[in-house]
Amino acid sequence: MDKKETERIVKEALSLGRNALVEPDAMEVLRLNSIPVPDFRVVKDVSAAIETAGEIGFPVVLKLVSPNLLHKSDVGGVAVGLKDSKELESRWAQMILDVADRSPSVMIEGFIIEKMAPKGLEVIVGGINDEQFGPVVMFGAGGVAAELIRDVSFRLAPIDRDTAFEMMSETKCFPLLTGYRGDTVKDLDAVSDVLMRLSAILEETDGLREIEINPLLVYDKGVLAVDARAVLG
Amino acid sequence: MGNVKGLDLIFNPGSVALVGASEKPGKLSGKILQSLRSSGFKGRIYPVNPAYGSVGGMECYPTISEIKEGVDLAIIAVPAPAAIEALRQAGGKTPAAIVVSGGFSEIGEEGGRLEKELKEIARREGIRVIGPNCMGVYDGFSRLDTFFITEERIKRPPQGKLAIMSQSGSFALTVMDELAAEGVGVARVISYGNKADVDEADCLDFLADDDRTGAVAIYMESVEDGRKFVEAASRCSSKKPVMAVKVGKAGAGVSAARSHTGAIAGRYEVYRAAFKKAGIIELEGYEDFIGGCKAFGMQKRSSGRRVMIITDGGGVGVGLADACAEMGLDVPPLNEYVKEDIRGVFPKYVVVGNPFDLTGSVTDGMFAEALEKTMEGDAYDIAILAPMWGPPFLTDELVEFIAEKAGIVKKPVLICTPGGEYTRKRMGLFHKAGLPVFSTPESAVRAAAALSKGASAGAKAGGGIYG
């Protein structure tokens, strides 16, 4: 874990008066702490976006970067599976209109061009720094409906690998990770690595109140954190 | 770290001073005096009140400082500002105090200031303080009873191995009354109210090393220092079962939370995570709390989750099996060897299996025999016996028959006996025989589940004297 660099990112955001990291910073924190993230860059305009997408390789994901928007997809700030520069250009225009329409107060700082990740099983992993009990980590069924479904399990940090497995096995979605109805067995070790690393990040980083990956895509081998947020304070 | 010696005196003082002692029937202090004198407490009692020369035939002192001897425990039951003064005067005279008085942080800012002052005096004078805004202690061994509700309204449980910790005084009282009615004995009951000094962690530290406490049940509203609590509870749960109910679940989530995790992580989820870390058996709600107290107060922690069900009413047997499945307990079938053995002894019409249905032709002896035959060996960890009292050959002696065999099998035995007037009168017989009895299949199975949850926590922690 790159503790110093993680702390620098958090401190800088706090000094700007922010109460959350922008997504590229949150993703960077994950990357610094050995949590796999897809190849991504931040761009300011559409021509840079097209050029970057060419370098990364289509298909790509286009995401809005804003310091005051934590749930981008709610306002149309995410476009996935963009096949070529034509589609990227038209969805770019659409996104700006949608966001202006649905949430006019959103400040647009730039855009993320991210390598489209292969389909995987969606789980949510996260953690909070509780006032009374300190860092607490969570595992659960992922996706935009995570809050609604609430198929989750919590533990006080720090956690070991056994505890990470216990957390996973306590959720109803656990069979999905272990070969449900002919599907493949997913990489549980990689998920527990992420849970343990989140627990360590929360314990070691001052000023970080919540951190979350939703979804974390789980594959037969490995995982990818395709969306992250971090709340400060 | 808690001053265990100080806490010992809170439960087991050789002498107490009651500040505010009065004979006026309406006064709290009057009720406390009544509780102290009727409970069988053997220590010396010093009434303290400048308004009287004597109270209840005992010499009354104007202030604590004027008592010549040292006093082990001061019980302070005067209005908040006077309570502070009384604690100050107790300095050098007593190492421990219970401040029953309300009017502190629970009423707001002004009270909060008084509480801070109280805390400072306690620290400066080296007095361990329970409260303020609490009911204090009922001790099954020393018979110390500082609860200001008399026994006429709230019965006190007999001496036993359970310790009850409660932030709320009225909850502690209600539990005592329920346990008294169920024949469940207690070692220590403590209501600590605002926790200005002694908190949950201090109590758990004391109870962990307390030989008379065999199991701990906590009623919890909130904890201030979560990590300290988890540490103390872990130590205690490695030695004896610790269970807890957390109330106030509906409270707002983590303030200003904005991630999904933050929104889902309401206070309760965090407490659950803390309970897991500490090896605490989580109980849900009032009924579960009483059930857990009955189970751990009268039986010991089970070594696994395999349940044997014996009944004379097939329907309730199936209901118990369903409830077991729901609560994560196993109801494994009888092995063939035991089946053969049983068939050789029992009449042809009994349904040999698990549930074991002794049918309406059941006798007292058949229940006892079935319990012994199925529970010897290592096939089951817990037995639930469900006698329905309709069958004509069952008599009140069934209770003794079962109690005797329960002593032999050395595994937890729970009784589930649903029914009306006749049945309910029989429940009292089980209480007297020291067997936990439940009136519904669900409550019996929940208690069995609590006993088995203790098993996994205990196993992890390497067991303990009550393991």
Side-chain angles (χ1 to χ4, degrees):
Chain A
M1 148 169 197
D2 194 334
K3 190 178 168 205
K4 242 174 136 178
E5 188 58 14
T6 305
E7 271 182 348
R8 191 196 58 79
I9 292 173
V10 169
K11 263 197 198 124
E12 192 173 300
L14 283 169
S15 73
L16 291 170
R18 291 185 173 170
N19 52 15
L21 293 183
V22 288
E23 191 185 345
D25 284 351
M27 297 284 272
E28 182 60 14
V29 166
L30 298 182
R31 205 187 58 76
L32 287 166
N33 291 278
S34 311
I35 295 173
V37 296
D39 195 2
F40 73 94
R41 319 260 167 89
V42 180
V43 297
K44 298 282 180 202
D45 56 46
V46 74
S47 60
I50 291 168
E51 196 188 321
T52 303
E55 284 163 24
I56 289 178
F58 287 99
V60 295
V61 181
L62 171 68
K63 294 193 274 192
L64 190 79
V65 177
S66 165
N68 62 346
L69 177 67
L70 209 60
H71 298 284
K72 305 172 295 293
S73 56
D74 295 353
V75 298
V78 181
V80 300
L82 309 180
K83 290 186 299 291
D84 49 35
S85 46
K86 208 176 135 218
E87 194 178 5
L88 174 55
E89 195 167 358
S90 73
R91 291 300 294 273
W92 176 293
Q94 190 61 44
M95 186 175 288
I96 289 171
L97 290 176
D98 280 350
V99 171
D101 203 29
R102 294 186 205 170
S103 192
S105 63
V106 164
M107 286 185 281
I108 300 178
E109 214 176 76
F111 295 83
I112 290 177
I113 298 291
E114 183 179 290
K115 176 88 180 156
M116 180 74 192
K119 203 174 155 353
L121 184 75
E122 293 191 352
V123 300
I124 180 170
V125 291
I128 60 163
N129 221 327
D130 184 77
E131 249 174 69
Q132 274 90 36
F133 292 98
V136 182
V137 287
M138 180 187 90
F139 169 86
V144 284
E147 263 179 62
L148 187 66
I149 293 165
R150 278 181 177 260
D151 178 20
V152 292
S153 174
F154 285 86
R155 284 291 189 289
L156 257 56
I159 57 163
D160 57 15
R161 192 167 297 277
D162 283 351
T163 310
F165 271 79
E166 256 175 49
M167 290 174 73
M168 289 188 267
S169 67
E170 277 170 19
T171 58
K172 290 198 195 96
C173 68
F174 184 61
L176 297 176
L177 288 158
T178 54
Y180 186 63
R181 306 191 73 160
D183 197 358
T184 52
V185 179
K186 306 289 182 262
D187 194 342
L188 300 177
D189 271 316
V191 180
S192 33
D193 284 341
V194 174
L195 279 166
M196 289 187 289
R197 281 171 194 151
L198 282 185
S199 140
I201 297 171
L202 276 167
E203 282 202 291
E204 290 169 24
T205 317
D206 289 338
L208 194 59
R209 202 169 61 199
E210 301 173 15
I211 184 159
E212 168 178 287
I213 303 168
N214 184 30
L216 177 75
L217 298 178
V218 191
Y219 303 107
D220 299 357
K221 226 171 164 28
V223 292
L224 262 186
V226 295
D227 198 354
R229 53 198 114 248
V231 178
L232 310 177
Chain B
M1 209 44 19
N3 175 347
V4 171
K5 190 161 178 291
L7 287 203
D8 184 54
L9 289 177
I10 282 167
F11 292 102
N12 189 23
S15 57
V16 300
L18 176 59
V19 179
S22 145
E23 281 177 13
K24 284 188 191 148
K27 288 249 184 182
L28 295 189
S29 50
K31 301 279 185 207
I32 296 173
L33 189 59
Q34 208 175 323
S35 293
L36 278 172
R37 298 187 86 178
S38 63
S39 65
F41 174 62
K42 296 278 191 305
R44 175 130 193 224
I45 302 168
Y46 299 97
V48 174
N49 191 335
Y52 303 103
S54 80
V55 167
M58 295 178 284
E59 183 185 353
C60 186
Y61 298 80
T63 64
I64 291 195
S65 39
E66 276 168 72
I67 302 171
K68 286 180 200 70
E69 304 82 12
V71 175
D72 284 345
L73 174 69
I75 303 163
I76 300 174
V78 290
I84 288 179
E85 194 43 44
L87 191 69
R88 209 188 307 270
Q89 287 164 355
K93 205 75 190 161
T94 178
I98 295 172
V99 181
V100 176
S101 327
F104 289 92
S105 64
E106 80 280 3
I107 62 158
E109 230 175 90
E110 170 64 24
R113 267 196 297 279
L114 290 174
E115 191 162 314
K116 212 170 147 226
E117 203 182 332
L118 187 82
K119 219 166 156 170
E120 274 161 21
I121 294 168
R123 202 148 293 165
R124 200 169 55 232
E125 303 293 346
I127 305 175
R128 292 315 306 261
V129 172
I130 303 279
N133 186 33
C134 74
M135 298 234 195
V137 166
Y138 168 72
D139 192 291
F141 288 88
S142 75
R143 314 299 303 167
L144 177 71
D145 184 350
T146 71
F147 281 75
F148 56 75
I149 307 294
T150 55
E151 191 143 20
E152 178 199 359
R153 294 291 178 95
I154 297 282
K155 292 270 177 299
R156 308 301 201 253
Q159 182 177 312
K161 66 170 184 174
L162 198 63
I164 311 279
M165 292 167 46
S166 174
Q167 206 159 340
S168 151
S170 65
F171 185 85
L173 276 169
T174 311
V175 170
M176 287 206 287
D177 202 28
E178 294 253 18
L179 296 185
E182 300 272 353
V184 181
V186 301
R188 330 280 189 193
V189 178
I190 180 161
S191 139
Y192 36 68
N194 294 4
K195 306 177 277 187
D197 174 31
V198 173
D199 62 7
E200 289 90 350
D202 296 327
C203 292
L204 284 163
D205 265 334
F206 170 77
L207 295 173
D209 299 324
D210 177 25
D211 289 339
R212 284 174 170 168
T213 295
V216 181
I218 313 170
Y219 168 90
M220 177 174 285
E221 287 167 19
S222 63
V223 162
E224 282 66 40
D225 187 342
R227 291 278 162 164
K228 182 180 159 207
F229 167 77
V230 168
E231 214 171 279
S234 302
R235 196 169 82 79
C236 194
S237 77
S238 73
K239 298 191 169 186
K240 53 196 79 174
V242 178
M243 55 196 148
V245 68
K246 161 78 174 86
V247 295
K249 294 182 187 181
V254 174
S255 60
R258 299 194 315 167
S259 68
H260 293 296
T261 309
I264 297 171
R267 299 299 323 143
Y268 192 58
E269 278 70 16
V270 177
Y271 273 93
R272 286 184 82 163
F275 287 177
K276 278 191 186 129
K277 186 97 172 179
I280 293 177
I281 300 159
E282 181 192 352
L283 301 172
E284 280 177 46
Y286 184 83
E287 237 186 292
D288 227 21
F289 188 87
I290 302 294
C293 285
K294 277 155 72 172
F296 279 108
M298 298 176 118
Q299 302 285 297
K300 57 177 191 168
R301 152 149 89 184
S302 98
S303 48
R305 49 182 64 244
R306 298 164 304 169
V307 179
M308 179 69 213
I309 297 167
I310 303 166
T311 182
D312 56 344
V316 167
V318 178
L320 281 163
D322 283 354
C324 283
E326 180 90 359
M327 296 296 298
L329 295 174
D330 301 327
V331 186
L334 280 170
N335 73 45
E336 286 307 316
Y337 175 79
V338 176
K339 267 190 182 169
E340 275 317 300
D341 189 26
I342 289 173
R343 284 207 186 95
V345 191
F346 278 76
K348 291 273 171 282
Y349 51 76
V350 303
V351 186
V352 182
N354 189 12
F356 190 172
D357 183 1
L358 299 167
T359 76
S361 306
V362 65
T363 62
D364 299 340
M366 281 162 72
F367 252 113
E369 190 84 2
L371 175 62
E372 188 172 13
K373 286 239 176 290
T374 55
M375 294 303 283
E376 61 189 12
D378 183 41
Y380 300 99
D381 307 301
I382 306 175
I384 302 181
L385 266 57
M388 308 296 115
W389 290 89
F393 303 123
L394 279 193
T395 75
D396 289 359
E397 281 177 37
L398 171 69
V399 178
E400 274 316 311
F401 270 84
I402 293 177
E404 194 207 321
K405 296 295 185 195
I408 294 170
V409 300
K410 292 198 164 50
K411 287 173 187 171
V413 175
L414 309 181
I415 310 295
C416 169
T417 187
E421 190 187 332
Y422 185 89
T423 300
R424 285 175 203 169
K425 284 192 179 137
R426 306 280 125 9
M427 293 175 101
L429 300 176
F430 285 110
H431 299 154
K432 285 203 193 90
L435 288 165
V437 52
F438 301 86
S439 59
T440 67
E442 291 75 20
S443 55
V445 170
R446 292 185 78 86
L451 287 176
S452 79
K453 275 191 228 165
S456 46
K460 236 186 195 171
I465 51 167
Y466 292 91

